[in-house]
Structures are given as C-alpha cells and as structure tokens.
C-alpha cells in the first residue's frame, strides 16, 4: 500500500509524459469523429459526425461537422473562422469562446493541455488498456463553461480515442475519434473555408 501511494504521482507524471512525447511527434492528424451531446433539459441526446484535421507546423485545426448539419470551424494563427451550412463565412473576434474551445481542442491533440502551468489540473490513471486523464479547468473563464473533462488515450499508442466534456449546467458532450491518420500529407486547402 505504501509503495502504491509513493509511486502514484510518479506514474501519473510518467503517463502524461508519454502522452506529451507522442503528441509532440504528431505533425499532422486527420480523423473522423462522432459527437454525442447528452442534454439534461431535454432528457435526451443528439448526435453529429464529422472530420477533424490538425497541422502542428502551422498550429491549425479544422473541426467540420458533416451530419446532420454541415458547418466548420477553422483555427489558424490568423484567427478563428466559421462556415455555416448556408456557406456564410464569419471571422470570429479573438476573445470569442469559439476561439478558446478551438485552442482547447488543439491543445488536446498536441498535448499542450498537460503542460506545467497550463489551463488544467489533471490526474492520469491506467485502466483496461487506456490512459485516463481527468482534467479540471484552472481558468475562471473555462470553469464557467466546463466543470471537467475526461480524456481516454490508447495506452499503447498514446493517441486520444475519446473525450467526455462535462458542462457546468450538467450537459455532457462525448467525442469518439476513429480512422486516426498521423503524419499524413494534408490537402493544401485543409484550412480554407
């Protein structure tokens, strides 16, 4: 028992270190996702699916919903833009919550969410072939929206498989990634709307 207590923080740091090491080796990432939002007010859920593309070299992220409604959010060094289903493109202000959420998604892919002094306090455990990171936001702005997140990484590859985001009002968003392709050539227009 004393051995487990003495090594638990070391194991958590080691697992987070493995995730950061793998994440930092990712230059590009392309995958599909299914997002399920559990709504407490409606006592039900909604499901959407889409595609995520990430390029670490340019710090760019594309989060595109394909069903049931098409729209995309693109984060680049120039800012955040959104294209709605009718094709209208909007450039969002730099202090917009969409920007913060987009940066958060990029941080999860890049491993920056585990950086010392970052936006989250976390613990990492291993269970059933997964590294499970419980994330609690430090920043007041994030705590107004998110009460916590749980990230599930494959313990072998250390790639993110699933994310559960608990919102302040009780709603829960679950995102499951599939068909993850790492360090592949991306289309030149991947971050254009």
């Amino acid at each position: 028992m004393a051995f487990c207590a003495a090594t638990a923080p070391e194991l958590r740091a080691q697992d987070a270190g493995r995730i950061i090491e793998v994440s930092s080796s990712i230059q590009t990432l392309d995958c599909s996702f299914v997002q399920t939002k559990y709504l407490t007010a409606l006592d039900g859920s909604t499901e959407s699916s889409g595609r995520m593309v990430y390029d670490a070299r340019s710090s760019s992220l594309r989060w595109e919903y394909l069903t049931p409604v098409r729209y995309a959010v693109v984060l680049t060094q120039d800012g955040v833009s959104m294209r709605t289903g009718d094709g209208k493109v909007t450039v969002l202000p730099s202090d917009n919550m969409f920007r913060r959420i987009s940066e958060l998604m990029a941080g999860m892919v890049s491993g920056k969410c585990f950086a010392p002094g970052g936006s989250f306090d976390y613990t990492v455990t291993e269970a059933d072939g997964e590294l499970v990171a419980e994330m609690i936001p430090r920043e007041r702005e994030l705590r107004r929206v998110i009460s916590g997140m749980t990230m599930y990484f494959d313990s072998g590859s250390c790639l993110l498989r699933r994310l559960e985001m608990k919102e302040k009002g009780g709603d829960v968003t679950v995102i499951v990634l599939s068909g993850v392709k790492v360090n592949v050539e991306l289309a030149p227009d991947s971050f254009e709307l």
Side-chain angles (χ1 to χ4, degrees):
M1 197 73 119
F3 174 75
C4 291
T7 61
E10 182 180 316
L11 290 174
R12 284 193 298 266
Q14 182 182 34
D15 289 335
R18 286 175 44 210
I19 293 167
I20 292 168
E21 182 180 334
V22 167
S23 297
S24 66
S25 71
I26 295 174
Q27 295 299 307
T28 65
L29 187 137
D30 188 347
C31 68
S32 297
F33 67 85
V34 173
Q35 177 179 304
T36 307
K37 184 156 183 119
Y38 298 93
L39 306 164
T40 56
L42 300 177
D43 197 28
S45 64
T46 62
E47 187 173 284
S48 53
S49 63
R51 182 171 169 243
M52 178 182 73
V53 180
Y54 173 71
D55 189 335
R57 301 163 297 191
S58 63
S59 298
S60 299
L61 175 80
R62 179 186 191 100
W63 189 261
E64 183 170 19
Y65 292 92
L66 301 172
T67 63
V69 177
R70 289 187 68 107
Y71 71 93
V73 177
V74 172
L75 169 71
T76 65
Q77 292 175 345
D78 296 329
V80 179
S81 301
M82 183 170 76
R83 185 191 70 226
T84 56
D86 62 5
K88 182 180 175 187
V89 175
T90 305
V91 177
L92 302 172
S94 62
D95 63 344
N96 189 285
M97 185 53 82
F98 266 111
R99 178 170 188 77
R100 189 67 186 112
I101 300 266
S102 299
E103 289 171 347
L104 182 65
M105 292 300 292
M108 287 183 265
V109 174
S110 68
K112 289 179 183 174
C113 60
F114 294 105
S119 300
F120 293 90
D121 289 320
Y122 64 86
T123 59
V124 179
T125 57
E126 189 165 4
D128 300 324
E130 293 181 314
L131 298 174
V132 181
E134 294 288 342
M135 315 289 288
I136 305 296
R138 289 183 182 165
E139 299 172 8
R140 177 185 291 169
E141 182 180 314
L142 277 176
R143 284 196 314 260
R144 282 188 272 178
V145 180
I146 302 168
S147 60
M149 291 189 309
T150 306
M151 299 168 64
Y152 299 84
F153 297 85
D154 178 271
S155 63
S157 68
C158 291
L159 292 174
L160 182 64
R161 286 183 176 174
R162 187 172 84 237
L163 163 73
E164 295 176 7
M165 184 168 40
K166 298 152 198 95
E167 297 174 29
K168 202 65 172 173
D171 293 349
V172 176
T173 301
V174 177
I175 300 169
V176 178
L177 304 180
S178 63
V180 178
K181 295 176 266 189
V182 175
N183 296 335
V184 294
E185 190 67 34
L186 301 176
D189 64 350
S190 292
F191 304 103
E192 295 175 12
L193 289 177

